[in-house]
Amino acid sequence: QVQLVESGGGLVQAGGSLRLSCVVSGHTFTHYAWFRQAPGKEREFVGSITKSVGSTSYADSAKGRFTISRDNGKNVLFLHMESLKSEDTAVYYCAAATSYRGSYSVIGNYDVWGQGTQVTVSS
């Protein structure tokens, strides 16, 4: 069964931190990404990581605050978020791709998606 399952979301105070996890099963992927979607807005790219080398790429909004990592032995993807702002409130999704298609930030380039986990940053 090909499946991605996120966990770790919740309510956090502004300035706080949170770590999201994504368990990957059922297939071998080449790279992963985190996206987020705030109410009434389009889903946007947060960051990505290659499975083999661990090379990362981040959206400007995430640079310096968010860190993507992975544990290949456990098939787990992580998103560690620090210095959280109210603007970070969104449903966060992990995604996986079976091949590179020219960009790490394009939604359509990913093949399997998680169900999403809610992150709410209080003011």
Side-chain angles (χ1 to χ4, degrees), residues 1-119:
Q1 184 178 6
V2 179
Q3 189 175 35
L4 276 62
V5 180
E6 303 101 331
S7 63
L11 176 65
V12 63
Q13 290 282 131
S17 62
L18 202 63
R19 188 184 77 163
L20 307 182
S21 300
C22 173
V23 178
V24 181
S25 62
H27 194 75
T28 300
F29 299 96
T30 60
H31 54 282
Y32 309 105
W34 288 95
F35 289 80
R36 67 185 183 185
Q37 188 166 23
K41 295 187 177 181
E42 299 287 339
R43 191 168 299 187
E44 66 175 354
F45 175 74
V46 175
S48 65
I49 187 168
T50 63
K51 179 179 173 65
S52 58
V53 178
S55 179
T56 56
S57 180
Y58 297 97
D60 288 340
S61 61
K63 290 179 181 177
R65 299 190 301 125
F66 294 2
T67 303
I68 296 174
S69 61
R70 82 276 185 269
D71 184 337
N72 286 338
K74 295 289 186 181
N75 289 325
V76 180
L77 174 70
F78 301 100
L79 175 64
H80 183 73
M81 304 180 289
E82 296 182 336
S83 301
L84 284 163
K85 309 171 182 178
S86 60
E87 304 96 279
D88 296 317
T89 295
V91 176
Y92 283 71
Y93 299 89
C94 60
T98 57
S99 64
Y100 180 65
R101 300 164 189 171
S103 176
Y104 292 115
S105 62
V106 175
I107 293 171
N109 288 349
Y110 291 86
D111 304 293
V112 185
W113 293 77
Q115 82 288 349
T117 185
Q118 177 71 50
V119 172

